[in-house]
């Protein structure tokens, strides 16, 4: 007896719908993509009850004549590809001819459409996949699709839907993706009769980001530096170091205009940020990749959310490089700001400045033990001329009046009574102005924008990290001999792996050699590490390195090892530093590749702008 039979068309569509239409947001995605493919300039959306009760999408695209409108509801009917060869290089968002029939088979569906120059349009009503009405209709040129009662005929599917709020948020996210991916198109979203946003067609991505997320976010983004590879154009924005999120929700990635999810790209972005990102945090990206459509396979995921690259390594490398370069360029801008001499108004004489003496006297220690004014100890007032003046009292100690900023001069080395004199030229040369140290941890500095707080511990971590990394890259990490060399055994695959990667391990400062089949001997470890059980440590390194997969990442792993260890060596909070030490610390920090965060991604410095201070003091609203 024959057991196999062909499924009726409606059931086949419902099966297909299971893959294409997961939830209301998928309906929104498919309909908006159709509108974009139809050349729409604006797309207006309306949803009710999380899109479960209604999704309506209205566009001003090319519309369809009656025959096409009917055909669009057939499975495998598409205007976007004609032959298998077209599948090799897809330039449209849709291509399978599946979305409309799938959606129409699991909802109460209504399509009205009119071509631009046609006198009348067409209206088609479909219920659960059955065409019920076909008549003249359609008012404005373009297409309107209404999807009501989603999954009304598939109760099992309906049960999987989340709360209306969650579904609405998914839809909003979907529209954000489309709106960022297509800034030149106007979008509006009405949710349960409330207008959530109306985005006019924008001239640039910058405008669209501002319209959608506000100017504050925009200020914290940096534009991606292109030019990484001629075959892969990368553009868009990423968050400055210090800007990150607890979820992936603002990690937007587009490949040839299509919003996609890609673990390859996410990993590459992370690698690009590397130590500039805190563990468990996600970067903010508006990342656009443009490459030859023939170099990407978009036909790999039922909802077209993923793609496959023909040369994934090239893509990964281009992204990593691009992000690193961008963050480094941003660093130059940041340093520039720091180095800008403070603009002092010529009209402000010391006399005109209010004498804000907190204590009447500040003792000036001799050079050898001269500490910065710690702000829980005596502090001075303001001298807007840029140099401190001093008197010498009878006890032979210098008394600073109005020591608004510390002069960069050195007291004479003979240890004579230090006299701090006005040194306008030196002060003017000074690249940054240190005010003092708060709570033995935060270095207070002044720059053109206002106040900068530097975490001395985090700063020192960053400096040590970059020093060690540099050494690792140039000559390999210095090795410290173990008192007692250790041997350990490994299973054949791990042993084989070590054999092949001995040179990487040696570069990382691990002195390891083969000691018989499956046995190895370690007699040295990186000198900056403090490891109690070398064999255990080696097993961990092998696991990590194996999962890293390639040599570029092995260097990264070495960096990680360094990052973990520098913490132990860095100056701690509460280590009181002297002025020259602090000055050196800040200079060294500014010379780092990524000065604004420690190797664990925590900020090293925080800027509090004059505008913020003015706001806090109620000078400005
Ligand atoms: N808003 C629209 N304006 C004009 N034509 C449309 C619109 N929506 C759909 N069409 C036409 O209907 C066809 C079928 O749409 P459908 O979404 O089912 O398939 P597709 O977009 O070709 O491929 P995919 O299933 O990958 O989305 C499209 O190829 C297009 O010609
Ligand atoms: Mg489509």
């Amino acid at each position: 007896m024959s057991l196999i039979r062909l499924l009726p068309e409606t059931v086949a569509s419902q099966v297909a719908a299971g893959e294409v239409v997961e939830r209301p947001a998928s309906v929104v995605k498919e309909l908006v993509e159709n509108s974009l493919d139809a050349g729409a300039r604006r797309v207006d959306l309306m949803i009710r009850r999380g899109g479960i009760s209604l999704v309506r999408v209205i566009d001003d695209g090319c519309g369809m004549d009656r025959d096409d409108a009917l055909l669009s509801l057939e499975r495998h009917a598409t205007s976007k590809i004609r032959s298998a060869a077209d599948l090799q290089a897809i330039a449209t968002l849709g291509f399978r001819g599946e979305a409309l029939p799938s959606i129409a088979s699991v909802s109460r569906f209504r399509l009205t459409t009119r071509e631009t120059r046609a006198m009348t349009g067409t209206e088609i009503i479909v219920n659960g996949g059955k065409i019920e009405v076909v008549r003249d209709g359609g008012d404005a040129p373009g297409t309107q699709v209404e999807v009501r009662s989603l999954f009304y005929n598939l109760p099992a599917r309906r049960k999987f839907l989340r709360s209306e709020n969650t579904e609405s948020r998914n839809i909003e996210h979907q529209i954000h993706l489309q709106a960022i991916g297509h800034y030149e198109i106007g979008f509006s979203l009405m949710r349960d009769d409330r207008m959530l946003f109306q985005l006019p067609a924008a001239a640039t991505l910058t405008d669209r980001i501002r319209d959608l997320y506000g100017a504050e976010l925009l200020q914290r983004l940096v534009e991606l530096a292109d030019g990484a590879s001629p075959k892969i154009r990368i553009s868009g924005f990423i968050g400055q170091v210090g800007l990150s999120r607890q979820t992936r929700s603002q990690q937007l990635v587009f490949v040839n205009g299509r919003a996609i999810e890609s673990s390859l790209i996410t990993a590459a972005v992370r690698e690009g940020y590397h130590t500039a990102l805190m563990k468990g945090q996600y970067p903010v990206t508006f990342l656009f990749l443009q490459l030859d459509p023939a170099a990407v396979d978009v036909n790999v995921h039922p909802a077209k959310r993923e793609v496959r690259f023909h040369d994934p390594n090239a893509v990964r490398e281009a992204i990593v490089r691009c992000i690193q370069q961008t963050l480094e360029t941003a660093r130059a801008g940041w340093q520039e700001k720091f180095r800008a001499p403070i603009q002092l108004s010529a009209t402000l004489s010391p006399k005109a400045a209010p004498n804000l003496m907190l204590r009447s006297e500040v003792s000036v220690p001799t050079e050898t033990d001269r500490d910065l004014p710690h702000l829980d100890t005596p502090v001075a007032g303001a001298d807007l001329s840029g140099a401190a003046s001093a008197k010498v009292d009878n006890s032979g100690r210098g008394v600073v009046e109005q020591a608004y900023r510390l002069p960069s001069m050195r007291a004479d080395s003979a240890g004579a009574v230090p006299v701090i004199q006005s040194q306008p030229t030196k002060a003017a040369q000074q690249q940054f102005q240190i005010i003092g140290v708060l709570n033995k941890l935060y270095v207070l500095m002044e720059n053109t924008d206002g106040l900068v707080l530097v975490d001395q511990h985090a700063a020192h971590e960053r400096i040590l990290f970059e020093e060690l990394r540099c050494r690792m890259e140039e000559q390999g990490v210095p090795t410290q001999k173990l008192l007692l060399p250790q041997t350990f055994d490994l299973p054949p695959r791990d042993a084989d792996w070590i054999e092949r990667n001995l040179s990487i391990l040696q570069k990382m400062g691990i002195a390891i050699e083969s000691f018989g089949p499956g046995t190895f001997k370690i007699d040295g470890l990186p000198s900056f590490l403090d490891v109690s059980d070398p064999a255990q440590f080696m097993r961990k390194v092998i696991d990590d390195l194996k999962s890293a997969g390639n040599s570029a990442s092995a260097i990264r792993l070495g960096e990680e090892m360094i990052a973990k260890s520098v913490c132990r060596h860095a100056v701690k909070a509460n280590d009181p530093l002297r002025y020259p030490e602090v000055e050196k610390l800040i200079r060294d920090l500014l010379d780092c590749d990524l000065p604004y965060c420690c190797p664990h991604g925590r900020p090293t410095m925080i800027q509090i702008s004059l505008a913020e201070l003015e706001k806090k003091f109620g000078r400005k609203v």
Side-chain angles (χ1 to χ4, degrees), residues 431-584:
Q431 292 170 330
F432 48 83
Q433 315 290 347
I434 298 174
I435 303 170
V437 178
L438 179 70
N439 203 25
K440 295 188 190 139
L441 174 59
Y442 303 110
V443 181
L444 306 186
M445 299 178 16
E446 184 186 359
N447 71 352
T448 21
D449 283 354
L451 181 68
V452 182
L453 291 135
V454 177
D455 177 325
Q456 68 178 39
H457 177 59
H460 198 208
E461 277 186 356
R462 164 56 65 183
I463 296 161
L464 279 182
F465 170 77
E466 295 207 359
E467 258 175 40
L468 282 171
R469 183 181 60 182
C470 190
R471 261 197 268 163
M472 180 177 78
E473 274 164 15
E474 278 166 12
Q475 51 212 251
V477 175
T479 303
Q480 173 114 45
K481 280 242 170 280
L482 295 179
L483 285 176
L484 288 175
Q486 282 217 0
T487 55
F488 63 102
D489 298 329
L490 283 176
R493 279 172 74 184
D494 286 353
D496 186 48
W497 188 91
I498 288 211
E499 297 280 3
R500 278 184 286 116
N501 290 283
L502 274 179
S503 65
I504 291 176
L505 294 171
Q506 276 153 7
K507 229 181 167 186
M508 282 164 55
I510 300 172
I512 183 168
E513 58 187 74
S514 188
F515 201 68
T519 306
F520 293 87
K521 185 175 89 175
I522 328 177
D523 61 6
L525 283 175
S527 53
F528 55 79
L529 278 184
D530 181 14
V531 174
S532 56
D533 182 349
Q536 176 73 14
F537 167 77
M538 270 321 292
R539 290 200 177 92
K540 169 100 186 49
V541 168
I542 294 165
D543 277 353
D544 289 352
L545 275 175
K546 267 173 39 189
S547 60
N550 59 42
S551 56
S553 304
I555 292 287
R556 292 275 170 208
L557 188 85
E559 288 183 358
E560 210 132 278
M561 257 165 51
I562 298 174
K564 278 189 191 137
S565 70
V566 289
C567 212
R568 281 193 287 278
H569 298 268
V571 284
K572 296 279 184 252
N574 303 327
D575 280 356
L577 297 181
R578 304 237 166 78
Y579 178 74
E581 290 165 334
V582 171
E583 189 187 333
K584 181 164 184 322

Side-chain angles (χ1 to χ4, degrees), residues 20 30-40 57 59 61-64 68-69 71-74 76-81 92-103 111 113 142-145 258 302 304:
V20 178
E30 293 298 339
L31 297 182
V32 172
E33 288 188 349
N34 279 349
S35 299
L36 296 170
D37 280 344
V57 178
D59 70 50
C62 63
M64 289 176 270
D68 272 359
L71 209 53
S72 75
L73 295 164
E74 298 279 335
H76 312 304
T78 178
S79 57
K80 301 171 192 176
I81 58 168
T92 47
L93 296 166
F95 53 87
R96 292 189 182 146
E98 254 179 357
L100 289 188
S102 299
I103 296 167
L111 166 85
T113 181
T143 301
Q144 168 173 335
V145 178
R258 179 191 304 278
K304 294 167 282 183

Side-chain angles (χ1 to χ4, degrees), residues 216 219 449-451 453 606-621:
E216 208 172 304
Q219 273 176 4
D449 283 354
L451 181 68
L453 291 135
I606 293 172
Q607 167 95 55
I608 301 174
S609 68
L610 287 174
E612 273 174 86
L613 287 175
E614 277 170 5
K615 235 185 188 173
K616 286 215 157 69
F617 281 111
R619 288 174 174 274
K620 238 191 205 165
V621 273

Side-chain angles (χ1 to χ4, degrees), residues 84-92 95 231-233 253-262 264-265 288-301 304-312 315:
D86 294 343
L87 267 181
Q88 313 289 318
I90 289 166
T92 47
F95 53 87
K231 289 196 181 146
I232 306 164
R233 282 211 52 223
V253 176
F254 302 85
V255 173
N256 291 347
R258 179 191 304 278
I260 60 145
E261 288 163 16
S262 157
L264 174 114
I265 295 180
F288 289 75
L289 259 71
Q290 206 72 42
L291 57 173
D292 180 359
V296 202
D297 191 354
V298 293
N299 190 20
V300 294
H301 186 272
K304 294 167 282 183
R305 261 203 316 262
E306 291 171 14
V307 298
R308 196 178 293 140
F309 297 104
H310 289 196
D311 188 353
V315 173

Side-chain angles (χ1 to χ4, degrees), residues 149-389:
S149 316
L150 186 66
F151 299 138
Y152 80 97
N153 52 351
L154 284 185
R157 250 302 146 104
R158 226 185 143 94
K159 268 195 222 140
F160 279 100
L161 293 179
R162 311 279 291 276
S163 72
E164 286 174 19
N165 260 338
T166 309
E167 295 298 348
S168 291
R169 271 202 303 276
N170 284 331
I171 292 177
E172 277 168 49
H173 177 67
Q174 185 53 237
I175 302 171
H176 281 196
L177 283 174
Q178 304 286 3
I180 292 293
H182 305 273
Y183 60 79
E184 68 290 356
I185 312 291
F187 282 91
S188 72
L189 172 62
M190 185 107 113
R191 173 181 164 184
D192 296 317
D193 299 319
R194 205 162 61 86
M195 186 59 85
L196 281 197
F197 52 76
Q198 275 180 300
L199 300 167
T204 60
L205 175 61
T206 316
D207 293 341
R208 177 52 54 90
I209 294 175
R210 190 185 303 107
D211 290 347
L212 198 53
Y213 298 108
E216 208 172 304
L217 176 73
L218 193 63
Q219 273 176 4
R220 303 186 64 195
L221 299 177
V222 274
E223 187 155 12
L224 283 165
D226 190 25
S229 146
K231 289 196 181 146
I232 306 164
R233 282 211 52 223
I234 302 177
S235 59
F237 293 86
I238 55 169
Q240 281 174 354
V241 172
L243 177 68
S244 58
R245 301 276 185 253
Q246 271 157 355
T247 68
R248 261 186 247 277
S249 62
Q250 250 177 14
Q251 218 177 340
L252 279 49
V253 176
F254 302 85
V255 173
N256 291 347
R258 179 191 304 278
I260 60 145
E261 288 163 16
S262 157
S263 49
L264 174 114
I265 295 180
T266 323
V269 169
R270 265 208 112 73
E271 194 174 332
Y273 271 89
H274 193 49
T275 57
L277 200 64
M278 261 191 266
K279 278 237 151 62
Q281 291 278 315
Y282 298 91
V284 173
T285 65
F286 298 92
L287 180 72
F288 289 75
L289 259 71
Q290 206 72 42
L291 57 173
D292 180 359
V296 202
D297 191 354
V298 293
N299 190 20
V300 294
H301 186 272
K304 294 167 282 183
R305 261 203 316 262
E306 291 171 14
V307 298
R308 196 178 293 140
F309 297 104
H310 289 196
D311 188 353
N313 260 343
V315 173
R316 196 188 66 83
E317 273 162 30
I319 294 175
V320 174
R321 215 171 328 129
C322 173
I323 295 205
Q324 284 172 342
Q325 274 169 12
T326 304
L327 295 178
E328 262 171 45
T329 320
R331 168 193 76 129
W334 173 277
Q335 279 181 331
E336 215 26 69
K337 245 182 172 184
F338 259 71
R339 299 208 155 144
I342 293 171
Q343 297 296 313
L344 293 168
S345 162
T347 55
L348 275 178
S349 71
K351 264 193 201 133
N355 193 359
L356 286 173
M357 296 281 280
L358 298 180
R359 307 269 167 103
S360 57
E361 293 184 346
V362 172
S363 59
V364 176
T366 59
E367 170 63 12
T368 39
D369 63 355
R370 186 173 142 219
D371 287 331
L372 273 167
H374 282 262
L375 295 190
D376 44 5
T377 59
V379 155
D383 169 14
L384 291 173
S385 70
S389 58

